[in-house]
Amino acid sequence: MPDHARPSNLSPRSERPPAPVQVPAIPLSPSVSGLSSGKASLVLAAVFALAALAVGLLTPTVMPSGFLEEGGPVESGTIFLYLASVACVVMTRMPGLTRTDKLALCIVLLSLAAREADLHKAMFGISILKARFYNRYGSLEQIVMAVVTLLPALLSMLWLIRRGARPWWDAVLSRRAPALTLMTFLIIIVLAKAFDRTPVTLVSTGLMASVPATVNTVLQSFEEIFELMLPLLVMLAVIQSVLIRATPASPDEAGARDWSVRVHIRRNRQNRFEPHIELEAKWGGNRQSCMIPPTTDFDTPEAGTAHALEWVATWQRLNGQGRLE
C-alpha cells in the first residue's frame, strides 16, 4: 500500500503537542534496535536449541552426567534466573502494568521457581501438580493444604489472563516484540514438557521397547536447557517493553545525526490500519534505520496517517531538524 504521508501536513500547529506517553518509542541505537526486535526471542531460542543439542551429545563423554540432573548447575541456574526475573519485574517501571499486575506476575514467576526447586514434591513426597495426587494418593487434609498452597498462583494466572489475554493477542497480530517474546515463552514451556514426556510416550505406545541412552540424554538436555531459557525470555520481554517506550529527549541526546522519517500505513489481519514509522539516522558516519512499532491501529488509513504525522510533527517542533520522506 502506498504511503499516505505528505510533507505539507507538517506545518506547525498552535495547539500543544501530544503528551510524552502518547509518543511512540525510538530505539535509535542499532544494538538497541536489534534487542527490541520481534526476532530477538527467536534468535535466543535458536541459540539455546543448538546449545541443548551440543550438551546432550557431549554428555556424559565430555560434560559430567550431573550437569543435567536434579540439583545440578542447569537447574540451579534456572532457579537463580527466575529470582533475577522477579527482581527485574519489581525494579522496572513498565507502562500499562498496575501494581496488582506486577504482583501477580511475580507470584507466577516465584511459583515457577518453586516448581524448578521441586517444592511441589516436598510437601507429601508426590507432586501436588499431578491429578493422581487428588484422586488416588492424597487425603482430604492433604488435598486442602495443596489447594491452599496453589491458590495464589492460580488466582494470579487467572488475573493475568483476564487482564492481558486480548491485548496480548492483538499485539502478537501486530508483531510487537514483547508480545512475540511472550509467545515464544509459552511455546518453549510446551516444548520442554514434550521433551520430558517423550521417553515415556515412546515406550508406552510401543514405538520403542526402550529409549537409547543417547536419545534420552539429548531429550533431557533439551528439557533442562529450554527451562533455563524461560526466565531469560521474561527478562527480555521486560527489557523490550522498556526499550520501545523509552523515548530520548532529542535525537541529539540519543546520539543520532541527520535523521529522517518515513511513514507507512499497513493493513493488519483484523482489517484495520497501522501507522509504521521508519526512522533513519547517522551513526558514526554510517546510516542505520529501525522501524518503530505501531502503538495502536485505526479504522481508516487517513486516521493512521494523521496519527503518524502528528508524531513526526511533534518531533520536528521539539528538535527543529529531520525531514519526512
Side-chain angles (χ1 to χ4, degrees):
M1 173 175 286
D3 295 350
H4 295 267
R6 295 181 177 85
S8 59
N9 292 336
L10 295 178
S11 57
R13 303 179 184 179
S14 58
E15 63 268 20
R16 295 176 61 186
V21 294
Q22 295 176 312
V23 179
I26 299 188
L28 291 176
S29 167
S31 59
V32 171
S33 180
L35 191 61
S36 60
S37 168
K39 299 179 181 179
S41 60
L42 298 179
V43 172
L44 183 65
V47 170
F48 270 69
L50 292 175
L53 179 60
V55 170
L57 294 175
L58 294 175
T59 303
T61 56
V62 177
M63 305 293 294
S65 57
F67 188 72
L68 298 172
E69 298 297 331
E70 299 287 338
V74 176
E75 185 180 79
S76 300
T78 303
I79 297 171
F80 171 79
L81 288 176
Y82 269 122
L83 297 179
S85 69
V86 171
C88 186
V89 170
V90 171
M91 298 172 61
T92 304
R93 183 178 181 182
M94 292 178 287
L97 287 186
T98 65
R99 291 183 179 179
T100 305
D101 297 335
K102 295 179 71 172
L103 175 62
L105 180 56
C106 289
I107 291 175
V108 171
L109 293 174
L110 289 173
S111 300
L112 291 173
R115 179 192 175 281
E116 195 65 26
D118 293 332
L119 296 183
H120 60 298
K121 300 177 183 178
M123 293 179 64
F124 310 113
I126 182 175
S127 173
I128 60 175
L129 302 178
K130 295 185 180 297
R132 65 173 180 266
F133 168 77
Y134 298 92
N135 57 27
R136 186 182 304 178
Y137 297 107
S139 64
L140 179 60
E141 293 80 5
Q142 290 175 333
I143 291 175
V144 171
M145 290 179 61
V147 170
V148 171
T149 302
L150 295 176
L151 193 59
L154 292 173
L155 293 177
S156 297
M157 286 187 286
L158 291 174
W159 174 266
L160 293 174
I161 292 172
R162 178 180 176 274
R163 281 271 298 163
R166 181 59 182 273
W168 167 73
W169 184 246
D170 291 341
V172 168
L173 295 178
S174 300
R175 300 181 181 276
R176 298 173 190 172
L180 292 176
T181 299
L182 178 56
M183 172 67 82
T184 305
F185 178 89
L186 298 176
I187 293 174
I188 293 299
I189 286 182
V190 174
L191 290 177
K193 187 62 178 178
F195 287 126
D196 181 35
R197 297 296 303 170
T198 295
V200 176
T201 302
L202 290 175
V203 174
S204 62
T205 56
L207 295 176
M208 285 186 175
S210 63
V211 180
T214 301
V215 175
N216 190 70
T217 302
V218 170
L219 291 173
Q220 183 185 16
S221 177
F222 271 97
E223 177 202 354
E224 296 295 335
I225 298 296
F226 274 17
E227 288 179 349
L228 179 69
M229 178 174 43
L230 291 173
L232 290 176
L233 287 170
V234 173
M235 288 187 278
L236 176 61
V238 172
I239 293 171
Q240 288 173 332
S241 68
V242 173
L243 289 179
I244 66 173
R245 290 175 172 86
T247 306
S250 70
D252 285 339
E253 184 176 308
R257 297 293 185 273
D258 189 20
W259 59 279
S260 61
V261 179
R262 296 182 182 90
V263 176
H264 310 269
I265 304 298
R266 300 176 182 174
R267 191 193 301 266
N268 60 24
R269 296 183 180 180
Q270 298 174 317
N271 204 31
R272 290 172 62 81
F273 298 90
E274 298 178 337
H276 291 250
I277 304 172
E278 183 180 3
L279 177 68
E280 187 177 77
K282 183 176 292 185
W283 294 86
N286 299 319
R287 298 197 69 80
Q288 303 283 347
S289 63
C290 64
M291 185 70 73
I292 299 166
T295 56
T296 186
D297 51 21
F298 300 88
D299 295 325
T300 64
E302 291 76 17
T305 301
H307 174 82
L309 292 175
E310 185 175 22
W311 181 89
V312 176
T314 300
W315 268 81
Q316 288 190 312
R317 288 197 297 272
L318 289 174
N319 302 291
Q321 57 180 319
R323 64 183 184 278
L324 180 71
E325 298 180 354

